Every structure is written in structure tokens, then in C-alpha cells.
Amino acid sequence: MIFERGWFIRKMNKYAPRGYTFVILDAEGRIAMHATDITGDQEPRGPFVSNISFDMLDSLYGGLMTRRNRKIHQACTVADYMFAYDIARPQMVAPDAKTATEQESKYEIYRSIARDHAHRSGKPLGLFMRKNALLIQGLQDSNAPLPAMLATRLNQYVNKCTWYAIEKVMSSMPICDMKYYQDLYRQKMSFLGIEYGQTFGKKFGLIDVDKIAFEKRHKDLTVEIERLMYDVLPRQEKALSTKKNKRPDDTSAHEKLQTQLENTNNRIAELSQERDSVAPREPRRPARDVLSNVFYKSGNATRPEFSKNSIVQFMQMAFLQETKQRKK
């Protein structure tokens, strides 16, 4: 990667809309917007994912970071060259004609996306965008079809906010400083032995150790409980039954086997309780709770119906009422 994702996404989050953070989703580096009070702890999907990625930034502007060119003034910002595509494009060497064609077609797609955002200035504003986002997320959580106009409207807002944040970062410092701070960030991460997580589930390059430990403990407990239930317990029951039939007068041996059987049952109960305490939890889905009047009727989950007319869709969304949430 040419643009350091960890460093860059932190800079972008200074310009994120209130309540949102920019996150990276996959190996391509797709950028999405996440809001805890809307999406919960789920990975953003659908309209919340922009069509902009770090792979796109590397393909379009990587040349400004990697090559020496007398046409590139190191004291200028990346934003000064954002639409000088021939200068900003990095040098690509393809091993064969097929790879070259694929690279060229991908580059043309990325450039067309950048051109769509050209000459847009100012912070993106959207009327009723919170309600729009809550509704779309609630419908996604209900596995319901999305109103086309409202889903497109939200995705356009996400794209605008993402590009706005990128432009602000690109114009925040000269190219030479951006190179320096990105390299410094890489060196420190390498020194600390931290590799920045490229996916939503890895925060700030750190692996969620607690989550991994809980998952391993849950798996180990499940294996142990099954061993006790389907191996140890049947053998103890069989031994108790055999001892009772062959030597019914041997009370000491009978009591010993009975005690072992009770201890095994108690152990199974204890392990089952511990396993339930570390079991994976369902992700929080707060959107439907905030719009409980829309997604619940008489305590039962329901799917709201929306008109296919874009104007009517907008009016339906605008008149939605949020429910005040109790503080937990």
C-alpha cells in the first residue's frame, strides 16, 4: 500500500460527520461510515459503504508519494494534483498483456469515480439524514427490501462525506510532510510489532485478544462438556448399574460410584453455566429500537411498507418519529 491506511483513516476521522467514524472494511480498503447508535457493533454494509477505497487512492495518486518527477513540487499538497491524473498516477509494470488490461480498466473505473466528485466544495449537508440512516439500517436488520430512493440518497451522502474527508486530508499538509509522517507511522508500528488491521473488526491495528480468548474458552468448554456427557457419564452409570446388580450388599463401593456420578453431573452444570457466560453475543441492532413505532406493532416485529414513488418515500421518512432510549 502506498497511502498508509492506519495513519490516513485517523486523519480522515477528524472530518467525519458528527456521530460517525470512517472504517476500513476489506483487503481492497473500502471506506465505510459507522455510527454506534445506528449500526451498533455490526460491520457497515449496503449504502453505508462508499465506492471509494485505498486501492483507488493508490491507483490514482500513488505517483505523488513514490516517484520523483520535476513536475511534482514537494511543497505543494496532494490536493493540488488531484485532477492531474497523468502526473499523479504511479508507474505500473504488468507481467503480461492480460494483467495490463485489467489494471487499465480498473484505473479507468477509479478515475470516473474521482471525476464524479470533481468541483464539489463544502461540507456535505443532508436533510433528515439521521432518520434516513436509521430507517435503512433498520430495514437491513429486518432483511427487508430497501426503498430505492432513500438507499441511493444515503449512499450518495456517504460518498460525499468520504470524498470531503479525503480532500481535507490531502490539502492539510505538503507532499513531503505527508511522506515523512506516513513513514514515521510505519516505523513506529513496525517497532511496536503492530500491523494495522485492514478490516472493521481490528481496531487501531490491535487484535481483539479478549474476543479470541472468549471464543477459545467457549470451544474448550463445549468439548469438555460433551466428553463428560457422552463418555464419562455413561461409563459411570453403567459401572453403578453393574455393581448394584452383581453385589448389592457392597454399600461402600455403591456409595463411591454414586458420589462420582453426582460429582460429574455437578461438574457438567458448572461448566455449562460458565460456557453460557462466555458464549458469543448477538450484535447490537439499535436502529429498530430507535424507530420502534415503525418496526414493532403491539410488541411484534413488523416490516414497514414504503411507496415506490421517490417523493412519497421522502415524506414517509421525514415524518418518522424516533423513540427516546433509556440509558443503560
Side-chain angles (χ1 to χ4, degrees), residues 80-96:
D80 295 327
Y81 296 99
M82 288 193 75
F83 301 107
Y85 300 107
D86 294 336
I87 298 175
R89 184 180 183 180
Q91 294 176 337
M92 304 294 290
V93 179
D96 50 58

Side-chain angles (χ1 to χ4, degrees), residues 89 94-105:
R89 184 180 183 180
D96 50 58
K98 181 180 179 182
T99 306
T101 303
E102 291 175 353
Q103 289 178 352
E104 192 63 31
S105 61

Side-chain angles (χ1 to χ4, degrees), residues 44-57:
R45 57 194 175 97
F48 291 92
V49 183
S50 75
N51 55 15
I52 302 166
S53 66
F54 278 97
D55 188 55
M56 171 182 164
L57 297 183

Side-chain angles (χ1 to χ4, degrees), residues 16-154:
R18 181 178 296 180
Y20 287 93
T21 56
F22 292 108
V23 295
I24 306 171
L25 293 186
D26 49 28
E28 187 182 327
R30 288 286 291 275
I31 302 173
M33 279 170 48
H34 177 264
T36 304
D37 60 339
I38 296 175
T39 316
D41 48 11
Q42 302 175 89
E43 181 176 292
R45 57 194 175 97
F48 291 92
V49 183
S50 75
N51 55 15
I52 302 166
S53 66
F54 278 97
D55 188 55
M56 171 182 164
L57 297 183
D58 290 346
S59 298
L60 291 179
Y61 310 116
L64 299 174
M65 297 285 112
T66 57
R67 69 182 181 183
R68 296 282 183 180
N69 192 321
R70 61 185 180 182
K71 294 182 180 179
I72 300 173
H73 198 296
Q74 296 294 308
C76 293
T77 66
V78 177
D80 295 327
Y81 296 99
M82 288 193 75
F83 301 107
Y85 300 107
D86 294 336
I87 298 175
R89 184 180 183 180
Q91 294 176 337
M92 304 294 290
V93 179
D96 50 58
K98 181 180 179 182
T99 306
T101 303
E102 291 175 353
Q103 289 178 352
E104 192 63 31
S105 61
K106 180 185 285 190
Y107 175 78
E108 290 300 327
I109 292 171
Y110 287 155
R111 191 165 67 172
S112 66
I113 294 172
R115 281 174 174 169
D116 288 342
H117 295 284
H119 310 303
R120 291 180 182 175
S121 59
K123 192 172 184 179
L125 300 175
L127 187 62
F128 301 118
M129 285 311 305
R130 174 176 166 80
K131 285 185 180 180
N132 201 152
L134 282 167
L135 177 62
I136 294 300
Q137 184 61 47
L139 291 170
Q140 288 185 149
D141 293 341
S142 303
N143 296 319
L146 306 180
M149 189 280 289
L150 296 178
T152 302
R153 182 173 183 264
L154 176 61

